[in-house]
Amino acid sequence: DIPTFPKKIGIVTSPTGAALQDMLNTLKSRFPLVEVILAPTMVQGEDAPPKIVQAIRDLNQLLDVDIIIVARGGGSMEDLWAFNDERVVRAIASSRIPVVTGIGHETDTTLADYAADVRAPTPTGAAVVVTPDKTELLDELQGLQVELDNVVDRKIRQYHQDIVSMRWQLNFLSPLNRIRNNLQRL
């Protein structure tokens, strides 16, 4: 299950790729409260699979990471081949922390995508999947504030009417009122 309001997001990707900057910008604009932990790794070439596996394992050692994004920008199928490696697929499948993949472009699919809890079409898409949108949250909060104000206003009006009614009853039943009535009758 993807947490609705993650506090910490682990990102497994190249520290030098444009994909990382795109994800960080998206995370900051959508949900600036989130903390990001980068597990830098190679994302292509023969040495990439064991490095990706180690980065996923490292993030799984941390107790407070809520979700992991495994991402890489676009490229040829050969460039993305590390994400078809069995070791990477098994590391994603066995992760105790939910994993969202954002590998390549929308049309690219790797075996890692099938092992992940959620496949996003791109690295930026992965950042969108794992975070709520602060604008939508603020709109929802404003709607709730209006609703709360209306409920409080209704309650205050009802309590005011109750007080007026009780005041009338107290005046009607007051011993002083009885005395006045009796005096008039007398």
Side-chain angles (χ1 to χ4, degrees), residues 27-58:
L27 293 171
K28 184 178 180 185
S29 70
R30 285 182 60 84
F31 195 59
L33 300 175
V34 76
E35 184 180 336
V36 174
I37 298 173
L38 177 62
T41 183
M42 299 171 63
V43 290
Q44 94 181 47
E46 225 175 87
D47 297 332
K51 303 257 187 224
I52 295 167
V53 168
Q54 190 57 52
I56 293 168
R57 285 185 182 149
D58 290 346

Side-chain angles (χ1 to χ4, degrees), residues 2 6 33 39 71 74 78 80 97 110 114 131 149 161 173 177 184:
I2 304 289
L33 300 175
E78 292 77 27
L80 304 177
I97 301 168
T110 65
Y114 292 109
T131 52
D149 289 346
Q161 287 174 349
L173 299 173
N177 194 31
Q184 270 186 339

Side-chain angles (χ1 to χ4, degrees), residues 8 10 37-38 56-66 96-97:
K8 280 191 183 173
I37 298 173
L38 177 62
I56 293 168
R57 285 185 182 149
D58 290 346
L59 288 172
N60 270 273
Q61 295 301 312
L62 303 175
L63 297 177
D64 54 353
V65 173
D66 298 305
R96 70 171 180 77
I97 301 168

Side-chain angles (χ1 to χ4, degrees), residues 142-176:
Q142 284 179 325
L144 290 171
Q145 181 66 50
V146 167
E147 198 175 311
L148 182 62
D149 289 346
N150 291 337
V151 167
V152 168
D153 285 347
R154 275 196 307 273
K155 284 288 185 192
I156 288 173
R157 279 195 299 274
Q158 180 62 50
Y159 289 146
H160 180 71
Q161 287 174 349
D162 292 349
I163 289 171
V164 168
S165 175
M166 286 179 202
R167 190 178 284 154
W168 183 85
Q169 287 176 357
L170 278 174
N171 283 336
F172 181 75
L173 299 173
S174 134
L176 201 57

Side-chain angles (χ1 to χ4, degrees), residues 9-14 23 39 41-43 52-53 55-56 59 67-73 82-83 88 91-92 95 98-104 110 112-113 116 118-120 122-123 126 130:
I9 297 174
I11 298 180
V12 175
T13 194
S14 168
M23 286 186 289
T41 183
M42 299 171 63
V43 290
I52 295 167
V53 168
I56 293 168
L59 288 172
I67 192 149
I68 295 172
I69 296 174
V70 176
R72 185 217 190 288
F83 297 97
V88 172
I92 290 171
S95 175
V99 175
V100 174
T101 54
I103 300 165
T110 65
D113 293 320
V118 175
R119 176 201 177 266
T122 62
V130 301

